[in-house]
């Protein structure tokens, strides 16, 4: 008794998706073949198309189908400011605040020596080139406030300062609407140290 | 700020996979574009190929790339016995026991009125045709011993008996190696009712 080889191939290949083990790969393959062939065909096309078309912006490194993305081409933005984020999702969050009108650099990751993710993997060379274009004057570090995000910010900060650029970091502190009683002590300690004159 | 349309298309289409919500669709899409383009290309090809090639066996309804599957073409098997299972996986389990040498019919599901799964969805017409080929004399019901599997077995049993076929069902009882103390009361009750002379 043999499974058809194209079904075996599908099941094996589904395992390359993050979080899909052998059992669920088979479950998904059977589901698609039996109940959603249209979905399978569409997904097949979507994957092939995305691999062909999606590339990284020459300037900011985010995903785009063009050499340079729309954000980088937007002449309304302040080209002296360069905000460094970990992912396109983080960039979107900042855009939604409407508080920033400069440009971006998307690392597509964060430094994580334990996982073997070093400066090369977060495209530091590309960032150095980008920030050193002679127009950028301030690099705003908006990596996450996790251990890895902080380490990444620190590393980039040193690199940028060595090149004579002004570097800033999003402020840490008590979240808007946060009640002290429910905020962790580390955050309060940081807010106390970073307290500002009113 | 716009995501490239081929990436949006990929993210949307990934949501057609069972168990993949909007967040994980995006996570998977980013992962593939950034870390596993080869995997994405392969999976794209595997899906397209499977949709083109995988079909249902004309006789037993399992997945195959040919009009009739290898099992159905195996002349060593007893063509008077037809074992009805829910899935190809169940068929494989039975094959591994080496206790059955007849043929199969794979329902590709089970009756589940609450989910809108009726006789048509488990290919009952095809089963009736298959079992009525004049060669099959006994239909062995090997659907699961769940509520839905039992209901499915009952329904098929009535249909087959009405056509003059002998119908049997896998025996229920205490599992091999089972200690009574740890077996549920329903199973023991069933084993008691189905007790056999020794
Ligand atoms: Zn860009
Ligand atoms: Zn067959």
């Amino acid at each position: 008794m043999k499974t058809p080889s194209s079904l075996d191939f599908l099941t094996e290949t589904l395992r390359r998706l993050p979080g899909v083990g052998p059992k669920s790969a088979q479950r998904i393959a059977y589901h698609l073949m039996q109940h959603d062939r249209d979905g399978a065909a569409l997904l097949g096309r979507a994957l092939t198309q995305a691999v062909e078309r999606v590339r990284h912006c020459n300037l900011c490194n985010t995903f785009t189908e063009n050499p340079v993305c729309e954000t980088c081409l937007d002449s309304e933005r302040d080209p002296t400011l360069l905000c460094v984020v970990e992912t396109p999702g983080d960039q979107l969050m900042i855009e939604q605040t409407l508080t920033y009108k400069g440009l971006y650099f998307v690392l597509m990751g964060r430094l994580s020596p334990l996982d073997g993710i070093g400066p090369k993997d977060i495209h530091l060379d590309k960032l150095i080139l980008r920030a050193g274009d002679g127009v950028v004057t301030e690099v705003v570090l908006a990596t996450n406030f996790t251990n890895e995000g902080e380490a990444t910010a620190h590393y980039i900060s040193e690199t940028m300062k060595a090149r004579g650029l002004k570097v800033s970091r999003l402020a840490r502190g008590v979240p808007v609407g946060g009640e002290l009683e429910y905020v962790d002590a580390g955050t309060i300690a940081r807010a106390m140290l970073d307290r500002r004159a009113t």
Side-chain angles (χ1 to χ4, degrees), chain A residues 62-95:
Chain A
T62 197
F63 291 126
T64 174
E65 293 183 354
N66 305 307
V68 173
C69 78
E70 284 187 18
T71 309
C72 287
L73 288 173
D74 180 354
S75 58
E76 306 278 284
R77 290 174 179 268
D78 180 351
T80 66
L81 291 175
L82 188 70
C83 179
V84 177
V85 292
E86 294 182 17
T87 67
D90 294 339
Q91 179 180 354
L92 191 61
M93 292 303 294
I94 292 175
E95 283 292 289

Side-chain angles (χ1 to χ4, degrees), chain A residues 15-27:
Chain A
R15 293 197 52 192
R16 295 189 70 150
L17 296 178
V20 173
K23 281 256 170 186
S24 57
Q26 190 177 69
R27 194 173 50 86

Side-chain angles (χ1 to χ4, degrees), chain A residues 19-35:
Chain A
V20 173
K23 281 256 170 186
S24 57
Q26 190 177 69
R27 194 173 50 86
I28 294 171
Y30 282 10
H31 169 84
L32 291 174
M33 286 304 102
Q34 213 190 328
H35 300 296

Side-chain angles (χ1 to χ4, degrees), chain A residues 174-175 177-189:
Chain A
V174 181
E179 295 183 72
L180 290 190
E181 195 177 343
Y182 302 108
V183 171
D184 72 289
T187 298
I188 295 177

